[in-house]
Amino acid sequence: MPKNVKIPIGEPPTGDPPTNGQHGVDPADWVDQYGDALLAFALGRVRKREVAEDLVQDTLLAAWVNRERFDGRAKFATWLVSILRRKIADHYRRDARTLTASSLEENAPDPFTPKGMWRRAPWKWKADPAQLAEEAEFQRVATSCIEELPPHFRQAFQLRDLGDASPKEISVILNISPENLAVRLHRARVLLRQCLESKYFGLAARTASPHRGSS
Amino acid sequence: MKVRLMMTCREATQLCSDQHERTLTRRERWMLRVHLFLCHKCRKFAAQLAMMRDALQRVANLQADSSPAKLSPERREAMKHELRKLV
């Protein structure tokens, strides 16, 4: 029987191959052996906990159904993660489909003029990231600004800036080219910056006016 | 024909963003440096981008900390139950 395997978060785990395909294997044991590590991997790539848990369950079910296909060349845990990766990609594909149906906002207002200049100049932000993060109002605004991003931009942003996945991995998950990913991330960050400025820093500047006159 | 010496703000901010994913080429680095030297708006943007990323990551971590990456006992049992159905 395999030993308890610790899998580092965000990396393909390693571990002893289990006695797959043999009689007497109880797949329920996999939940204890690999469940937490798979969940950690999934949580680095999807934000919602219930979704991550569902993906782990789907992965283990698929692994059991397809256990004959595990050939023992890779570590069993690595094989599980490869299944989980596919489940994550499927999830984003489904997510994108429902989102495009529900929103026509892919053409969010362009913050640049046709000549590529800023429509509205960025303001000066006076803030410390660590302090900001502790502030309830900033947390609220940040969460809502991220939610408001057009779906394709939001997916790219959350995977890249809030998750564990590399740009290459994200391109695979979202099934887009690295160039396309770079464009989406740029748009997401520009829109997010604008949203934070108008909903958070704008108000902060108005209430604490002494800092404004610098530009 | 006009030779374009300066990239636009759209292009400059794209490179600022790209920097977080890849190493820029020598030419891109040079073009960006010239642009940022001359454009205070994009300079602000570059600083804000880094700050925003930092702050939002912290927020995400604070929100995630309240629930560790461990399956709850209930969820664990439910999964085992589902798996045993297949055996």
Side-chain angles (χ1 to χ4, degrees):
Chain A
M1 273 313 236
K3 291 170 278 182
N4 238 334
V5 182
K6 279 253 162 60
I7 305 178
I9 296 171
E11 278 169 39
T14 55
D16 298 334
T19 49
N20 69 304
Q22 293 173 18
H23 294 292
V25 176
D26 183 359
D29 290 343
W30 296 350
V31 178
D32 291 328
Q33 283 160 11
Y34 305 107
D36 290 344
L38 290 172
L39 181 66
F41 185 89
L43 281 173
R45 284 148 186 85
V46 295
R47 304 302 302 168
K48 291 210 174 72
R49 197 177 178 87
E50 314 90 73
V51 176
E53 287 173 345
D54 288 346
L55 292 174
V56 171
Q57 175 165 324
D58 291 351
T59 299
L60 292 176
L61 291 173
W64 176 254
V65 171
N66 298 304
R67 63 191 180 283
E68 303 292 323
R69 285 200 221 149
F70 175 66
D71 53 15
R73 266 185 304 191
K75 297 266 169 68
F76 184 66
T78 309
W79 184 66
L80 288 179
V81 169
S82 72
I83 299 173
L84 178 54
R85 283 186 202 278
R86 278 199 295 279
K87 297 289 173 196
I88 291 170
D90 289 346
H91 161 72
Y92 275 96
R93 218 164 357 250
R94 277 195 307 272
D95 194 34
R97 218 176 299 146
T98 56
L99 293 171
T100 36
S102 69
S103 104
L104 298 167
E105 295 184 77
E106 218 52 25
N107 295 316
D110 190 344
F112 298 100
T113 66
K115 282 190 166 173
M117 313 299 278
W118 287 98
R119 277 190 205 281
R120 256 195 7 226
W123 301 346
K124 196 169 194 127
W125 293 2
K126 285 224 165 176
D128 168 61
Q131 273 175 14
L132 276 182
E134 301 280 338
E135 218 183 284
E137 176 62 6
F138 180 78
Q139 291 176 4
R140 196 190 59 75
V141 173
T143 308
S144 92
C145 283
I146 292 172
E147 288 299 318
E148 282 169 29
L149 286 174
H152 286 122
F153 301 156
R154 181 174 53 73
Q155 287 188 336
F157 176 81
Q158 287 182 324
L159 276 164
R160 179 62 191 145
D161 285 8
L162 307 181
D164 295 335
S166 68
K168 202 173 148 206
E169 192 188 337
I170 298 169
S171 301
V172 175
I173 290 176
L174 299 180
N175 196 26
I176 56 176
S177 68
E179 294 76 22
N180 196 335
L181 176 64
V183 170
R184 285 189 193 183
L185 285 172
H186 174 237
R187 289 297 299 276
R189 289 163 178 161
V190 169
L191 289 172
L192 207 48
R193 192 212 69 82
Q194 195 168 287
C195 183
L196 289 177
E197 188 162 272
S198 64
K199 293 195 176 154
Y200 180 84
F201 290 100
L203 296 177
R206 238 168 282 155
T207 47
S209 48
H211 291 314
R212 270 213 81 183
S214 49
S215 66
Chain B
M1 206 172 124
K2 207 166 90 182
V3 180
R4 218 157 50 90
L5 285 173
M6 261 273 274
M7 55 172 64
T8 63
C9 294
R10 184 199 297 279
E11 291 164 330
T13 56
Q14 176 74 58
L15 290 183
C16 286
S17 173
D18 287 355
Q19 269 182 326
H20 292 275
E21 276 71 58
R22 64 179 176 92
T23 316
L24 301 185
T25 66
R26 194 182 286 228
R27 185 186 148 76
E28 285 170 336
R29 270 205 305 277
W30 170 249
M31 296 282 283
L32 181 60
R33 241 164 75 193
V34 172
H35 186 99
L36 290 184
F37 179 70
L38 296 168
C39 175
H40 69 96
K41 296 174 188 172
C42 287
R43 261 201 317 274
K44 283 204 191 87
F45 175 82
Q48 289 170 352
L49 203 59
M51 188 212 275
M52 189 172 83
R53 215 165 177 253
D54 186 357
L56 294 179
Q57 268 166 3
R58 285 168 190 270
V59 171
N61 289 340
L62 284 175
Q63 287 169 345
D65 269 357
S66 52
S67 47
K70 256 183 169 306
L71 291 169
S72 64
E74 304 83 58
R75 189 71 215 221
R76 203 176 284 271
E77 284 317 305
M79 268 187 211
K80 289 182 181 178
H81 182 69
E82 289 299 315
L83 279 160
R84 288 204 172 106
K85 275 202 241 168
L86 297 177
V87 178

